[in-house]
Amino acid sequence: MSRASVLLILLLFVACTSDPAKPTPDAGPEATACEHREDCEGGQVCGTEGFCGPCESSGQCRLKERCDADAHACVLREGWGTDCTVSADCELGMWCREGLCRQRADVVLCPSGSKDECPSGQRCDTANFVCEEDLGCVEDADCGAEERCNTGLHACVPRCTEATAPQVCASGEHCAEGRCVQCEADAECGPGLICDVAGRCAATPRCYSDRDCTVPLQCHVPSGACLPALPPCTSDDGCAVDQRCDVGTGTCVPRACAPDALEPNDTPATAYPVRASRYVGLTLCADDVDYFSITLERGDQLGVNVEADAFAEPAFSTTLQDASGRVLALGHFLATHVAAVPGTYTVRVAAQGSEPRSYDVGFFLSRGTPCDDDSHEPNDTSATATLFTAGAVIEGMLCPQDQDHFLLTVPEGQGVRVSLSNYVATDGLLRLCLLGGDGTQELGCSTEASGATVSVSGSIAGGRTLTVRITGDDARTTNGYTLQAELLP
């Protein structure tokens, strides 16, 4: 065969085996050279050949994007936008969440910057201190200060050191480059196993999220396989109303509300003793209430954070009580209180409705400044009001979640003037009210910044026993005050 014939065959072989889908340097004006995803427009990604082209996996897109299976282009994930980066980009009173300006009622705040303040499946955006959908991570910058990005898991994990590894890492894990792993090389795994990109020993490479699969395949996390379609269910939404999803098997099973591992804890007497930790996989069945007990020292600030379906937040009630049953703090998913006296405190978690509610709950301790009750407690209700006479001077203290009540008897034919003074307006406004003796009829109220006075004439007050009520501007108010009363002709 001649040299020319050989050359012709080689050229034909190269032409036939070339992949027309991959742009080459001479592919024409539509092929854009790139180094990063940001160099490409129209949702294209930067391919291994250094040119912009279609995406094959969401892992090639930005964190807030996914690869559209039809267009093979990166598009924003559902619920995300590009209208704002910080809340200052929005109109006054609006908050930036997931790149969109939202009303205050549509956001959950996380003022400390911790994801523990956010519902399950969300984390705190520390630029705006609002809770957003947890999309995982692609680099450490996507995580909190005390976290690192495990790029194999696509998840933020606690940052560890050799010293903290026994507390931070799970059994069988060690600390490597600031994150907990099972292995760093195949040799650290058993025979036939490999060390995968997440630092875990596995029989074969597996997926940890849809970002690991080519579209339109989806990651079945329990098996680690990329599948054309997931098993029958991945959540209760894929089952009939009388069924729930067993995520481990991907099958729908009868919706029987089974008690969780901490039951029975339906009464204060059977409260489950807890410590500063998280308790997961808990369930509230119909008409169920869960109680937890925790021992606090003076100055301990307890934060209780319930994690559940964000849309179920209005149905939840979280209450902190002292040994006498007095309510010290309450909220839906969050409650916090600084203990003024050492002792055992009780946390009550309940939910409205007949459907089972799954939740996790975390108990977090820090140091705070306690609010010491005055000597007139307990006087949180009209029924427990403290006796009070005209001319007397009472020094009181209003603590968070507190109300103070006093009973005052006015002689026939006389009126009364009640005044509140010596409280610091910047510590929270106090509200003074005069009520009928049963505490239901409001006769007059005052809310002044530097003091409060309420007067009632003799035609209304004469010959009656009145209730003086002092409340805070909100449930967190902590303020001292001086209470006085004088009779009027």
Side-chain angles (χ1 to χ4, degrees):
M1 185 181 294
S2 68
R3 178 179 298 179
S5 300
V6 172
L7 220 48
L8 178 59
I9 292 173
L10 287 175
L11 287 173
L12 289 171
F13 176 81
V14 171
C16 292
T17 56
S18 296
D19 185 352
K22 292 183 179 180
T24 57
D26 58 353
E30 294 184 0
T32 303
C34 63
E35 293 183 3
H36 308 285
R37 161 73 178 84
E38 289 71 21
D39 298 331
C40 302
E41 298 179 351
Q44 292 188 324
V45 298
C46 190
T48 56
E49 299 292 329
F51 288 86
C52 296
C55 63
E56 296 296 331
S57 165
S58 294
Q60 298 172 290
C61 301
R62 298 188 182 101
L63 191 59
K64 299 176 182 180
E65 299 174 330
R66 62 175 178 83
C67 182
D68 184 83
D70 296 323
H72 284 277
C74 295
V75 297
L76 282 171
R77 293 180 179 273
E78 290 74 11
W80 290 79
T82 56
D83 294 348
C84 60
T85 302
V86 294
S87 295
D89 298 333
C90 303
E91 295 181 5
L92 189 64
M94 304 283 282
W95 293 76
C96 183
R97 178 172 69 87
E98 297 174 359
L100 298 172
C101 294
R102 319 267 188 161
Q103 297 285 348
R104 171 63 183 88
D106 297 329
V107 302
V108 176
L109 301 183
C110 45
S112 74
S114 170
K115 70 176 180 181
D116 295 326
E117 298 174 289
C118 297
S120 179
Q122 298 187 16
R123 59 185 298 111
C124 188
D125 169 20
T126 53
N128 298 301
F129 295 101
V130 300
C131 298
E132 294 185 336
E133 178 186 1
D134 187 356
L135 298 177
C137 63
V138 294
E139 58 183 354
D140 289 346
D142 297 323
C143 302
E146 301 302 319
E147 296 176 317
R148 283 214 60 194
C149 181
N150 184 320
T151 53
L153 291 175
H154 309 287
C156 296
V157 296
R159 187 181 295 269
C160 64
T161 64
E162 289 188 11
T164 63
Q167 293 78 40
V168 175
C169 299
S171 176
E173 293 182 338
H174 64 275
C175 188
E177 298 182 355
R179 62 188 179 102
C180 298
V181 296
Q182 293 177 347
C183 59
E184 297 175 75
D186 294 349
E188 298 177 48
C189 300
L193 300 179
I194 62 170
C195 185
D196 68 13
V197 291
R200 296 184 175 184
C201 294
T204 58
R206 56 164 297 153
C207 66
Y208 288 98
S209 83
D210 290 346
R211 297 176 64 83
D212 297 325
C213 303
T214 57
V215 293
L217 300 182
Q218 303 172 66
C219 180
H220 183 233
V221 177
S223 66
C226 292
L227 304 176
L230 294 179
C233 70
T234 56
S235 71
D236 291 351
D237 294 337
C239 300
V241 293
D242 60 343
Q243 295 181 318
R244 65 178 178 85
C245 182
D246 184 341
V247 179
T249 62
T251 58
C252 295
V253 297
R255 186 185 285 277
C257 187
D260 57 52
L262 306 189
E263 294 284 356
N265 62 337
D266 302 334
T267 67
T270 59
Y272 186 86
V274 297
R275 54 188 176 82
S277 184
R278 290 181 71 248
Y279 297 81
V280 300
L282 306 183
T283 303
L284 283 171
C285 296
D287 302 319
D288 190 13
V289 177
D290 286 349
Y291 285 91
F292 308 89
S293 63
I294 187 167
T295 301
L296 302 178
E297 298 297 328
R298 173 178 166 81
D300 280 349
Q301 178 167 327
L302 173 65
V304 183
N305 177 34
V306 172
E307 299 179 26
D309 182 352
F311 294 104
E313 182 174 6
F316 272 82
S317 172
T318 303
T319 307
L320 175 65
Q321 303 169 329
D322 63 12
S324 69
R326 179 186 177 195
V327 175
L328 304 173
L330 59 85
H332 292 298
F333 279 171
L334 301 172
T336 183
H337 177 72
V338 180
V341 294
T344 300
Y345 292 75
T346 303
V347 175
R348 177 183 184 271
V349 179
Q352 299 174 342
S354 58
E355 61 180 293
R357 303 282 189 181
S358 299
Y359 73 99
D360 304 338
V361 61
F363 301 90
F364 306 93
L365 287 180
S366 59
R367 296 300 295 172
T369 303
C371 178
D372 293 307
D373 282 329
D374 54 47
S375 60
H376 311 296
E377 295 289 348
N379 62 345
D380 299 341
T381 66
S382 297
T384 59
T386 302
L387 294 178
F388 173 46
T389 58
V393 177
I394 286 184
E395 299 296 334
M397 172 62 71
L398 196 77
C399 291
Q401 208 66 41
D402 192 12
Q403 293 188 5
D404 287 349
H405 294 79
F406 300 89
L407 282 182
L408 173 66
T409 300
V410 182
E412 284 283 355
Q414 290 193 283
V416 67
R417 179 188 295 119
V418 181
S419 63
L420 205 61
S421 60
N422 296 333
Y423 66 86
V424 182
T426 55
D427 289 344
L429 193 63
L430 296 184
R431 179 177 174 85
L432 172 67
C433 289
L434 272 180
L435 314 171
D438 61 358
T440 58
Q441 182 187 9
E442 193 173 283
L443 304 179
C445 293
S446 178
T447 54
E448 300 172 9
S450 58
T453 301
V454 178
S455 298
V456 179
S457 66
S459 60
I460 298 175
R464 300 179 63 183
T465 296
L466 308 181
T467 297
V468 179
R469 184 183 68 196
I470 303 168
T471 58
D473 189 43
D474 61 39
R476 297 168 296 179
T477 299
T478 301
N479 221 330
Y481 62 85
T482 299
L483 175 66
Q484 294 177 286
E486 59 177 313
L487 298 176
L488 301 176

